[in-house]
Coordinates of all heavy atoms in Angstrom, one line a residue:
M763 N 0.0 39.6 -28.5 CA -0.5 38.8 -29.7 C -1.8 38.0 -29.3 O -2.6 37.8 -30.2 CB 0.6 37.9 -30.2 CG 1.7 38.7 -30.9 SD 3.1 37.7 -31.6 CE 2.8 36.0 -31.2
I764 N -1.9 37.6 -28.1 CA -2.9 36.8 -27.7 C -4.2 37.5 -27.7 O -5.2 37.0 -28.2 CB -2.7 36.3 -26.3 CG1 -1.4 35.3 -26.2 CG2 -3.9 35.5 -25.7 CD1 -1.0 34.9 -24.9
V765 N -4.3 38.7 -27.2 CA -5.5 39.5 -27.2 C -5.7 40.5 -28.2 O -6.6 41.3 -28.2 CB -5.7 40.1 -25.7 CG1 -5.8 39.1 -24.7 CG2 -4.6 41.1 -25.5
Q766 N -4.8 40.5 -29.2 CA -4.9 41.6 -30.2 C -6.2 41.7 -31.0 O -6.7 42.7 -31.2 CB -3.8 41.3 -31.2 CG -3.5 42.4 -32.2 CD -2.3 42.2 -33.0 OE1 -1.8 41.1 -33.1 NE2 -1.8 43.3 -33.6
N767 N -6.8 40.5 -31.3 CA -8.1 40.6 -32.0 C -9.2 40.0 -31.3 O -10.2 39.6 -31.8 CB -8.0 39.8 -33.4 CG -7.0 40.5 -34.3 OD1 -6.9 41.7 -34.4 ND2 -6.2 39.7 -35.0
S768 N -9.0 39.9 -30.0 CA -10.1 39.3 -29.1 C -11.1 40.3 -28.7 O -10.8 41.4 -28.3 CB -9.4 38.7 -27.8 OG -10.3 38.1 -27.0
T769 N -12.4 39.8 -28.6 CA -13.4 40.6 -28.1 C -13.6 40.4 -26.6 O -14.2 41.3 -26.0 CB -14.8 40.3 -28.8 OG1 -15.0 38.9 -28.7 CG2 -14.6 40.6 -30.3
R770 N -13.1 39.3 -26.1 CA -13.1 39.0 -24.7 C -11.7 38.7 -24.2 O -11.4 37.5 -24.0 CB -14.1 37.8 -24.4 CG -15.5 38.1 -24.9 CD -16.4 36.9 -24.8 NE -16.3 36.2 -23.6 CZ -16.7 34.9 -23.5 NH1 -17.3 34.3 -24.5 NH2 -16.6 34.3 -22.3
P771 N -10.9 39.7 -23.9 CA -9.5 39.5 -23.5 C -9.3 38.6 -22.3 O -8.4 37.9 -22.2 CB -8.9 40.8 -23.4 CG -10.1 41.8 -23.3 CD -11.2 41.1 -23.9
G772 N -10.2 38.8 -21.3 CA -10.1 38.1 -20.1 C -10.2 36.6 -20.3 O -9.4 35.7 -19.7
F773 N -11.2 36.2 -21.1 CA -11.4 34.8 -21.4 C -10.2 34.3 -22.2 O -9.8 33.1 -21.9 CB -12.7 34.7 -22.2 CG -13.0 33.2 -22.6 CD1 -13.5 32.3 -21.8 CD2 -12.7 32.9 -24.0 CE1 -13.7 31.0 -22.2 CE2 -12.9 31.6 -24.4 CZ -13.4 30.7 -23.5
T774 N -9.7 35.1 -23.1 CA -8.6 34.6 -23.9 C -7.4 34.4 -23.1 O -6.7 33.4 -23.3 CB -8.3 35.7 -25.0 OG1 -9.5 35.9 -25.8 CG2 -7.2 35.2 -25.9
I775 N -7.1 35.2 -22.2 CA -5.9 35.1 -21.3 C -6.1 33.9 -20.4 O -5.2 33.1 -20.2 CB -5.6 36.4 -20.5 CG1 -5.2 37.5 -21.4 CG2 -4.6 36.1 -19.4 CD1 -5.1 38.8 -20.8
G776 N -7.3 33.7 -19.9 CA -7.6 32.5 -19.0 C -7.4 31.2 -19.8 O -6.9 30.3 -19.2
L777 N -7.9 31.2 -21.0 CA -7.8 30.0 -21.8 C -6.3 29.7 -22.1 O -5.9 28.5 -22.1 CB -8.6 30.2 -23.1 CG -8.8 28.9 -23.9 CD1 -9.5 27.8 -23.2 CD2 -9.6 29.3 -25.2
N778 N -5.5 30.7 -22.4 CA -4.1 30.5 -22.6 C -3.4 30.0 -21.4 O -2.6 29.1 -21.5 CB -3.5 31.9 -23.0 CG -2.0 31.7 -23.3 OD1 -1.6 30.9 -24.2 ND2 -1.2 32.5 -22.7
G779 N -3.8 30.4 -20.2 CA -3.2 29.9 -19.0 C -3.6 28.5 -18.8 O -2.8 27.7 -18.3
L780 N -4.8 28.2 -19.0 CA -5.3 26.8 -18.8 C -4.6 25.8 -19.8 O -4.1 24.8 -19.3 CB -6.8 26.7 -19.1 CG -7.4 25.3 -19.1 CD1 -7.4 24.8 -17.7 CD2 -8.8 25.4 -19.7
A781 N -4.4 26.2 -21.0 CA -3.7 25.4 -21.9 C -2.2 25.2 -21.5 O -1.6 24.1 -21.6 CB -3.7 26.0 -23.3
G782 N -1.6 26.3 -21.0 CA -0.2 26.1 -20.5 C -0.1 25.2 -19.3 O 0.8 24.3 -19.3
N783 N -1.0 25.3 -18.4 CA -1.0 24.4 -17.3 C -1.3 23.0 -17.6 O -0.7 22.0 -17.1 CB -1.9 24.9 -16.1 CG -1.4 26.2 -15.5 OD1 -0.2 26.3 -15.4 ND2 -2.2 27.0 -15.0
L784 N -2.2 22.7 -18.5 CA -2.6 21.4 -19.0 C -1.4 20.8 -19.7 O -1.1 19.6 -19.6 CB -3.8 21.4 -19.8 CG -5.1 21.5 -19.1 CD1 -6.3 21.6 -20.1 CD2 -5.3 20.4 -18.2
G785 N -0.7 21.6 -20.4 CA 0.5 21.1 -21.1 C 1.6 20.6 -20.2 O 2.2 19.5 -20.5
I786 N 1.8 21.2 -19.1 CA 2.8 20.8 -18.1 C 2.3 19.5 -17.5 O 3.1 18.5 -17.3 CB 3.0 21.9 -17.0 CG1 3.7 23.1 -17.7 CG2 3.8 21.3 -15.9 CD1 3.7 24.3 -16.8
A787 N 1.0 19.4 -17.2 CA 0.5 18.2 -16.6 C 0.5 17.0 -17.6 O 0.9 15.9 -17.2 CB -1.0 18.4 -16.1
V788 N 0.2 17.2 -18.8 CA 0.1 16.1 -19.8 C 1.6 15.7 -20.1 O 1.8 14.5 -20.4 CB -0.7 16.6 -21.0 CG1 -0.5 15.6 -22.2 CG2 -2.1 16.8 -20.7
A789 N 2.5 16.6 -20.1 CA 3.9 16.3 -20.4 C 4.5 15.2 -19.6 O 5.1 14.3 -20.1 CB 4.8 17.5 -20.3
A790 N 4.2 15.2 -18.3 CA 4.7 14.1 -17.4 C 4.0 12.8 -17.7 O 4.7 11.7 -17.8 CB 4.4 14.5 -16.0
V791 N 2.7 12.8 -18.0 CA 2.0 11.5 -18.3 C 2.5 11.0 -19.6 O 2.8 9.8 -19.8 CB 0.5 11.7 -18.3 CG1 -0.3 10.5 -18.7 CG2 0.0 12.2 -16.9
L792 N 2.6 11.9 -20.6 CA 3.0 11.5 -21.9 C 4.4 10.9 -21.9 O 4.8 9.9 -22.6 CB 2.9 12.6 -22.9 CG 3.4 12.3 -24.4 CD1 2.5 11.2 -25.0 CD2 3.4 13.6 -25.2
T793 N 5.4 11.5 -21.2 CA 6.7 11.1 -21.1 C 6.8 9.7 -20.5 O 7.5 8.8 -21.0 CB 7.6 12.0 -20.2 OG1 7.5 13.3 -20.9 CG2 9.0 11.5 -20.2
G794 N 6.0 9.4 -19.4 CA 6.0 8.1 -18.8 C 5.4 7.1 -19.6 O 6.0 5.9 -19.7
F795 N 4.4 7.4 -20.4 CA 3.8 6.5 -21.4 C 4.8 6.1 -22.5 O 4.9 4.9 -22.8 CB 2.5 7.1 -21.9 CG 1.9 6.2 -23.0 CD1 1.2 5.1 -22.7 CD2 2.1 6.5 -24.3 CE1 0.6 4.3 -23.6 CE2 1.5 5.7 -25.3 CZ 0.8 4.6 -25.0
L796 N 5.5 7.1 -23.0 CA 6.4 6.9 -24.1 C 7.6 6.1 -23.6 O 8.1 5.1 -24.3 CB 6.9 8.2 -24.7 CG 5.8 8.9 -25.5 CD1 6.4 10.3 -25.9 CD2 5.5 8.1 -26.8
V797 N 8.1 6.3 -22.4 CA 9.3 5.6 -21.9 C 8.9 4.1 -21.7 O 9.6 3.2 -22.1 CB 9.8 6.2 -20.6 CG1 10.7 5.3 -19.9 CG2 10.4 7.5 -20.9
Q798 N 7.7 3.9 -21.2 CA 7.2 2.6 -20.9 C 6.9 1.8 -22.2 O 7.3 0.6 -22.3 CB 5.9 2.6 -20.0 CG 5.4 1.2 -19.6 CD 4.2 1.3 -18.8 OE1 3.5 2.3 -18.8 NE2 3.8 0.3 -18.1
R799 N 6.4 2.4 -23.2 CA 5.9 1.7 -24.4 C 7.0 1.6 -25.5 O 7.2 0.5 -26.1 CB 4.7 2.4 -25.0 CG 3.5 2.3 -24.1 CD 2.9 1.0 -24.0 NE 1.7 1.1 -23.1 CZ 1.2 0.0 -22.6 NH1 1.7 -1.2 -22.8 NH2 0.2 0.1 -21.8
V800 N 7.7 2.7 -25.7 CA 8.6 2.7 -26.9 C 10.0 3.1 -26.5 O 10.8 3.2 -27.5 CB 8.1 3.6 -28.0 CG1 6.8 2.9 -28.6 CG2 7.8 5.0 -27.5
G801 N 10.3 3.4 -25.3 CA 11.7 3.7 -25.0 C 12.0 5.1 -24.7 O 11.2 6.0 -25.1
W802 N 13.1 5.4 -24.0 CA 13.4 6.7 -23.6 C 13.7 7.7 -24.7 O 13.5 8.9 -24.6 CB 14.5 6.7 -22.5 CG 15.8 6.3 -23.0 CD1 16.3 5.1 -23.0 CD2 16.8 7.1 -23.5 NE1 17.6 5.0 -23.5 CE2 17.9 6.3 -23.9 CE3 16.9 8.5 -23.8 CZ2 19.1 6.8 -24.4 CZ3 18.1 9.0 -24.4 CH2 19.1 8.1 -24.7
R803 N 14.2 7.1 -25.8 CA 14.6 8.0 -26.9 C 13.4 8.6 -27.5 O 13.4 9.8 -28.0 CB 15.4 7.2 -27.9 CG 16.8 6.8 -27.5 CD 17.6 6.0 -28.5 NE 18.9 5.7 -28.1 CZ 19.2 4.6 -27.4 NH1 18.2 3.8 -27.0 NH2 20.4 4.3 -27.1
M804 N 12.3 7.9 -27.6 CA 11.1 8.4 -28.2 C 10.5 9.5 -27.3 O 9.8 10.3 -27.7 CB 10.1 7.3 -28.5 CG 10.5 6.5 -29.6 SD 10.7 7.3 -31.2 CE 9.0 7.7 -31.6
A805 N 10.8 9.4 -26.0 CA 10.3 10.4 -25.1 C 10.9 11.8 -25.3 O 10.4 12.8 -24.9 CB 10.5 10.0 -23.6
F806 N 12.0 11.8 -26.1 CA 12.6 13.0 -26.5 C 12.2 13.3 -27.9 O 12.0 14.5 -28.3 CB 14.2 12.9 -26.4 CG 14.7 13.1 -25.1 CD1 15.0 11.9 -24.4 CD2 15.0 14.3 -24.5 CE1 15.5 11.9 -23.1 CE2 15.5 14.3 -23.2 CZ 15.8 13.2 -22.5
A807 N 12.1 12.3 -28.8 CA 11.8 12.6 -30.2 C 10.4 13.1 -30.5 O 10.2 14.0 -31.3 CB 12.0 11.3 -31.0
V808 N 9.4 12.5 -29.8 CA 8.0 12.9 -30.0 C 7.8 14.4 -29.6 O 7.2 15.1 -30.4 CB 7.0 12.0 -29.3 CG1 5.7 12.5 -29.3 CG2 7.1 10.6 -29.9
P809 N 8.2 14.8 -28.4 CA 8.0 16.3 -28.1 C 8.8 17.2 -29.0 O 8.3 18.3 -29.3 CB 8.5 16.4 -26.7 CG 8.4 15.0 -26.1 CD 8.6 14.1 -27.3
A810 N 9.9 16.7 -29.5 CA 10.7 17.5 -30.4 C 10.0 17.7 -31.8 O 9.9 18.9 -32.2 CB 12.1 16.9 -30.6
L811 N 9.5 16.7 -32.3 CA 8.6 16.7 -33.5 C 7.5 17.6 -33.4 O 7.1 18.4 -34.2 CB 8.3 15.4 -34.0 CG 9.4 14.5 -34.5 CD1 8.9 13.1 -34.8 CD2 10.1 15.1 -35.7
L812 N 6.8 17.5 -32.2 CA 5.6 18.4 -31.9 C 6.0 19.8 -31.9 O 5.3 20.7 -32.4 CB 4.9 17.9 -30.6 CG 4.1 16.6 -30.7 CD1 3.7 16.2 -29.3 CD2 2.9 16.7 -31.7
A813 N 7.1 20.1 -31.2 CA 7.6 21.5 -31.1 C 7.9 22.1 -32.4 O 7.6 23.3 -32.7 CB 8.7 21.6 -30.1
V814 N 8.6 21.4 -33.2 CA 9.0 21.9 -34.5 C 7.7 22.1 -35.4 O 7.6 23.1 -36.1 CB 10.0 20.9 -35.2 CG1 10.2 21.2 -36.7 CG2 11.3 20.9 -34.5
T815 N 6.8 21.2 -35.3 CA 5.6 21.3 -36.1 C 4.8 22.6 -35.6 O 4.3 23.3 -36.5 CB 4.7 20.0 -36.0 OG1 5.4 18.9 -36.4 CG2 3.4 20.2 -36.7
C816 N 4.7 22.7 -34.4 CA 4.0 23.9 -33.8 C 4.7 25.2 -34.2 O 4.1 26.2 -34.6 CB 3.9 23.9 -32.3 SG 2.7 22.7 -31.8
G817 N 6.0 25.2 -34.2 CA 6.8 26.4 -34.7 C 6.7 26.7 -36.1 O 6.4 27.9 -36.5
V818 N 6.6 25.7 -36.9 CA 6.4 25.9 -38.4 C 5.0 26.5 -38.6 O 4.8 27.4 -39.4 CB 6.7 24.7 -39.2 CG1 6.2 24.8 -40.6 CG2 8.2 24.3 -39.2
L819 N 4.0 25.8 -38.0 CA 2.6 26.3 -38.1 C 2.4 27.8 -37.7 O 1.8 28.6 -38.3 CB 1.6 25.4 -37.4 CG 1.5 24.0 -38.0 CD1 0.6 23.1 -37.1 CD2 0.9 24.1 -39.4
F820 N 3.1 28.1 -36.5 CA 3.0 29.4 -36.0 C 3.6 30.4 -37.0 O 3.2 31.5 -37.2 CB 3.7 29.5 -34.6 CG 3.7 30.9 -34.0 CD1 2.6 31.4 -33.5 CD2 4.9 31.7 -34.1 CE1 2.6 32.7 -33.0 CE2 4.9 32.9 -33.6 CZ 3.7 33.5 -33.1
A821 N 4.8 30.1 -37.5 CA 5.5 31.0 -38.4 C 4.7 31.2 -39.7 O 4.5 32.3 -40.2 CB 6.9 30.4 -38.8
L822 N 4.0 30.1 -40.2 CA 3.2 30.3 -41.4 C 1.9 31.1 -41.1 O 1.4 31.8 -41.9 CB 2.8 28.9 -41.9 CG 3.9 28.0 -42.5 CD1 3.4 26.6 -42.8 CD2 4.5 28.7 -43.7
K823 N 1.4 30.9 -39.9 CA 0.2 31.6 -39.5 C 0.4 33.1 -39.2 O -0.5 34.0 -39.5 CB -0.5 30.9 -38.4 CG -1.7 31.6 -37.9 CD -3.0 31.1 -38.5 CE -4.2 31.6 -37.8 NZ -5.1 32.3 -38.7
S824 N 1.5 33.4 -38.5 CA 1.7 34.7 -37.9 C 2.3 35.8 -38.9 O 2.1 37.0 -38.7 CB 2.5 34.6 -36.6 OG 3.8 34.2 -37.0
F825 N 3.1 35.4 -39.8 CA 3.8 36.3 -40.7 C 3.0 36.4 -42.0 O 2.5 35.4 -42.6 CB 5.2 35.9 -41.0 CG 6.1 35.8 -39.8 CD1 6.6 34.6 -39.3 CD2 6.3 37.0 -39.1 CE1 7.4 34.6 -38.2 CE2 7.1 37.0 -37.9 CZ 7.6 35.7 -37.5
P826 N 2.8 37.7 -42.5 CA 2.0 37.9 -43.7 C 2.8 37.4 -44.9 O 4.1 37.4 -44.9 CB 1.9 39.3 -43.8 CG 2.9 40.0 -42.9 CD 3.2 38.9 -41.9
H827 N 2.1 36.8 -45.8 CA 2.7 36.3 -47.1 C 3.1 37.5 -48.0 O 2.3 38.5 -48.1 CB 1.8 35.4 -47.8 CG 1.5 34.1 -47.0 ND1 2.4 33.1 -46.9 CD2 0.5 33.7 -46.4 CE1 2.0 32.2 -46.2 NE2 0.7 32.5 -45.8
R828 N 4.2 37.4 -48.6 CA 4.6 38.6 -49.5 C 4.5 38.2 -50.9 O 4.7 37.1 -51.3 CB 6.1 38.9 -49.1 CG 6.2 39.5 -47.7 CD 7.5 40.0 -47.4 NE 7.5 40.6 -46.1 CZ 8.6 40.5 -45.3 NH1 9.6 39.9 -45.6 NH2 8.5 41.0 -44.1

């Protein structure tokens, strides 16, 4: 799915890998920030809301409308 419509598949795969690694790095910093500022419960709630939002957007974007 990543390279299906890509004219430069190597660049596309590299960018996907970069985003995945940055996500892992940012997750630790974001979790520490949320725990310090608003409590440990929000450190679970914020990523959950982001994941659900991304899932809904992906579902709307990837499946054709009937």
Side-chain angles (χ1 to χ4, degrees):
M763 287 181 2
I764 294 171
V765 296
Q766 190 172 19
N767 295 322
S768 177
T769 57
R770 297 171 48 196
F773 176 78
T774 304
I775 292 170
L777 191 61
N778 183 56
L780 175 68
N783 289 329
L784 282 176
I786 292 169
V788 169
V791 174
L792 179 62
T793 300
F795 176 78
L796 289 172
V797 167
Q798 183 180 18
R799 298 288 181 197
V800 292
W802 66 269
R803 288 178 181 90
M804 289 303 285
F806 285 95
V808 170
L811 290 173
L812 287 172
V814 168
T815 302
C816 287
V818 168
L819 291 174
F820 178 76
L822 292 174
K823 176 92 172 125
S824 64
F825 297 117
H827 297 286
R828 293 185 180 145

